[in-house]
Amino acid sequence: ELKGRIVQRDEGSTADPSTGSSHATHVSGTLIATGITPVARGMAYGFQNLQAYTYSNDVAEMTAAARTLLLSNHSYGELAGWRQNPNRGGRSQWE
């Protein structure tokens, strides 16, 4: 679905992109999966050049790339925002 269609742009970063991430892979598939498995076809299934970055040094990298970006998605992880924490009496906390 994604092979040969993603370019890792910051391989020298402190984060290790070779380990992969199920969340980042899922987001990439939602965006550009070719549809080899028809139900897995991405929204932009014809797109051939997804530029991938790790979370390390993201502000500087996105600033440098901004002039030529068509779209930017920042998938930092599955939990982001407010959620209830049962360990804190159910109070909400920012993650």
Side-chain angles (χ1 to χ4, degrees), residues 13-30:
S13 74
T14 57
D16 183 6
S18 67
T19 60
S21 162
S22 60
H23 182 73
T25 301
H26 181 106
V27 171
S28 298
T30 299

Side-chain angles (χ1 to χ4, degrees), residues 26-93:
H26 181 106
V27 171
S28 298
T30 299
L31 292 171
I32 70 163
T34 61
I36 295 167
T37 301
V39 297
R41 187 170 77 175
M43 293 180 286
Y45 57 88
F47 194 73
Q48 298 293 319
N49 190 17
L50 186 125
Q51 306 290 305
Y53 295 84
T54 64
Y55 58 85
S56 178
N57 201 31
D58 60 335
V59 173
E61 290 169 343
M62 292 301 99
T63 300
R67 290 178 3 115
T68 59
L69 288 178
L70 177 62
L71 173 74
S72 178
N73 176 55
H74 301 270
S75 299
Y76 293 112
E78 297 172 14
L79 289 177
W82 292 99
R83 77 169 182 99
Q84 289 190 347
N85 184 342
N87 298 323
R88 297 185 66 200
R91 293 184 309 189
S92 295
Q93 71 181 45

